[in-house]
Amino acid sequence: MSYKIRLLEDSGVKSVLLPCRTTVPFPEDATVEWTDNYGNTVYLHQNRCNKPERQIQFYRDRVTMHEDRLKTGDLSLTLKHPTRADSDTYTCTVYSRKRRVLVKKQVQLQVKVQQVKVDSGTDAVRLPCETTVQLLASTVQWRDSNNRLVHMLQDGSDVLEHQDNIYRNRTEMDKDLLKTGDLSLTLKRLTYKESDVYTCTIYSRGGDVLMKKQVQLRVRDCRLEVEKGAESVLLPFKVSPELLINAKVEWWRYEPAPKLKIHCYRSGFDQPYEQSQFYRTQTEMNNDLLRTGDISLTLKRPLDGGDESYRCGVWRNGKLLGWTTVLLKVKGRVQLQEEPEDIRGRSCSIDMTPLMFERIGFSEMI
């Protein structure tokens, strides 16, 4: 028998019940075991007592069952603080002393994390998290999927000495959260590394988990439309100014073939002799980019027909720090350089998720 549970959004629920009820009579020495889809022990009751040492660490202190389970036939399992990682198929099996299977039931749990999508040029994003949990004398932590500390509050005050360096001076939480219960995190000056799943956890003074909530941040490719014959178009890309210190910026035309380097910036200056000769008078970047972090590229006289694809990478000491793809469709209403507010107002976003590109060259990536 299989049962399905779907949490459409991980909204910080305290627990979820994995149901398993039966009218089959059990001997007092029966074994009750819950396992996940990989055969790991989630919960085990054997020889009339629980066996927490047999659980894998992931489920320690997070699962409970009714005390009189064998008498009532209610073998349901309560799983505390479910997150996306708990999406799985769980099996409840009851064995006799001779390991004969008396009951076997399955429960499929699906936890879908709330998603936030951001557009290219967005300087900050809000990761939502609200709670009714009493926050006095508690600790609130935001962490990324690599368990790096993004932001921490203790008794209503920021505690950031252990914050990971990549998030320094880039995060903010509501100072009035003790009254409002709004634990949302504002993340500023986005780079490609911010496409991730973030977890907000509330701990009591004693270290117990009171609530857990996850938010998935997705940064998408930028898509622009330009009319055939347009004089110019702005390919948008904005990063943290700190990212550009001693860094190299390269823009490439990816499609149509052949692949060409269309602009290069390094050591505070454009490098026209490193770009394709065809584009030496066709591209321009903001002169104030080291202060603003705006490395958008003005492209003069884009191609007259078909779609075009452009990529930009930011490098330091051979390591890729940030990148974006801009997909340009040559049709529709013209978007000229003298109307930058309209260009930036379009639906643009940056896809900077593939962390594997940190270890490869940009020429390999394209």
Side-chain angles (χ1 to χ4, degrees):
M1 177 179 179
S2 180
Y3 190 89
K4 293 184 179 180
I5 299 175
R6 179 173 296 175
L7 300 181
L8 296 181
E9 179 182 306
D10 176 9
S11 56
V13 295
K14 187 174 182 179
S15 63
V16 61
L17 184 70
L18 307 182
C20 181
R21 299 178 181 88
T22 179
T23 58
V24 175
F26 302 122
E28 292 185 1
D29 58 355
T31 296
V32 181
E33 183 178 27
W34 278 89
T35 56
D36 62 17
N37 197 43
Y38 298 96
N40 299 311
T41 297
V42 178
Y43 188 93
L44 180 63
H45 179 86
Q46 191 176 46
N47 298 328
R48 298 182 176 87
C49 61
N50 299 330
K51 301 288 184 178
E53 68 277 7
R54 297 281 298 276
Q55 292 174 294
I56 64 171
Q57 186 64 40
F58 183 69
Y59 297 106
R60 292 279 175 87
D61 304 318
R62 296 181 56 221
V63 291
T64 58
M65 289 181 66
H66 296 297
E67 292 295 332
D68 56 351
R69 60 187 75 83
L70 294 178
K71 293 181 180 179
T72 64
D74 189 351
L75 310 177
S76 302
L77 187 74
T78 298
L79 176 63
K80 300 177 182 178
H81 311 297
T83 66
R84 186 178 66 164
D86 292 306
S87 295
D88 208 333
T89 298
Y90 298 88
T91 302
C92 177
T93 309
V94 182
Y95 302 96
S96 68
R97 173 175 288 187
K98 295 183 179 182
R99 298 295 292 178
R100 184 169 64 90
V101 175
L102 304 177
V103 170
K104 190 170 186 176
K105 294 187 177 182
Q106 288 187 329
V107 180
Q108 184 180 351
L109 175 64
Q110 183 181 13
V111 184
K112 296 188 69 175
V113 176
Q114 182 177 358
Q115 293 189 7
V116 175
K117 298 179 181 179
V118 292
D119 293 335
S120 173
T122 301
D123 193 48
V125 63
R126 180 177 177 271
L127 306 181
C129 181
E130 297 182 0
T131 182
T132 57
V133 172
Q134 176 58 255
L135 297 175
L136 292 176
S138 63
T139 299
V140 180
Q141 289 186 5
W142 278 92
R143 291 185 177 272
D144 62 19
S145 62
N146 293 313
N147 203 37
R148 293 176 295 199
L149 183 64
V150 181
H151 199 97
M152 178 174 173
L153 284 172
Q154 198 165 41
D155 301 334
S157 300
D158 292 331
V159 181
L160 302 178
E161 56 264 31
H162 298 299
Q163 184 184 39
D164 193 275
N165 286 334
I166 68 171
Y167 297 111
R168 291 284 169 89
N169 302 315
R170 299 178 51 227
T171 59
E172 186 177 291
M173 292 182 67
D174 185 3
K175 301 303 180 184
D176 202 28
L177 59 85
L178 292 179
K179 294 181 181 179
T180 64
D182 188 348
L183 309 180
S184 301
L185 177 74
T186 298
L187 183 57
K188 306 174 184 178
R189 301 189 296 277
L190 303 179
T191 71
Y192 82 104
K193 293 184 178 180
E194 274 70 67
S195 288
D196 205 346
V197 175
Y198 296 86
T199 303
C200 177
T201 308
I202 305 175
Y203 299 92
S204 68
R205 186 179 291 276
D208 296 326
V209 176
L210 303 178
M211 193 203 82
K212 185 176 285 190
K213 165 75 183 290
Q214 289 185 318
V215 180
Q216 183 174 25
L217 175 61
R218 289 191 172 181
V219 192
R220 301 165 297 182
D221 283 338
C222 174
R223 296 178 182 272
L224 293 176
E225 287 189 359
V226 62
E227 187 175 273
K228 181 178 179 180
E231 294 180 10
S232 66
V233 64
L234 186 69
L235 309 180
F237 191 23
K238 190 173 182 180
V239 298
S240 168
E242 292 82 3
L243 213 64
L244 299 177
I245 298 175
N246 299 322
K248 176 175 68 173
V249 178
E250 291 184 350
W251 278 93
W252 292 73
R253 189 190 73 186
Y254 182 62
E255 291 178 345
K259 305 177 184 67
L260 298 174
K261 185 189 295 187
I262 66 173
H263 198 93
C264 182
Y265 175 93
R266 185 176 65 248
S267 303
F269 298 96
D270 292 332
Q271 307 293 323
Y273 294 104
E274 292 190 28
Q275 67 186 130
S276 170
Q277 185 173 359
F278 176 78
Y279 283 96
R280 287 182 183 174
T281 60
Q282 308 299 314
T283 59
E284 185 177 305
M285 290 180 66
N286 186 353
N287 293 328
D288 204 19
L289 61 89
L290 291 179
R291 184 184 65 84
T292 64
D294 189 347
I295 53 177
S296 302
L297 184 72
T298 298
L299 177 62
K300 302 175 184 178
R301 294 184 291 279
L303 298 183
D304 286 339
D307 297 341
E308 302 174 28
S309 176
Y310 297 90
R311 288 179 178 174
C312 178
V314 181
W315 301 86
R316 185 187 300 126
N317 298 325
K319 182 178 180 180
L320 180 63
L321 305 178
W323 77 294
T324 189
T325 300
V326 180
L327 307 177
L328 182 63
K329 184 174 286 294
V330 185
K331 70 175 186 178
R333 181 179 177 273
V334 64
Q335 297 292 326
L336 298 181
Q337 174 61 23
E338 51 265 36
E339 299 179 351
E341 65 278 6
D342 292 338
I343 295 174
R344 293 184 181 276
R346 298 190 64 84
S347 177
C348 299
S349 57
I350 304 170
D351 179 7
M352 300 178 287
T353 55
L355 302 182
M356 67 182 74
F357 293 149
E358 291 186 14
R359 299 186 178 181
I360 65 175
F362 191 62
S363 61
E364 293 177 293
M365 180 180 71
I366 65 171

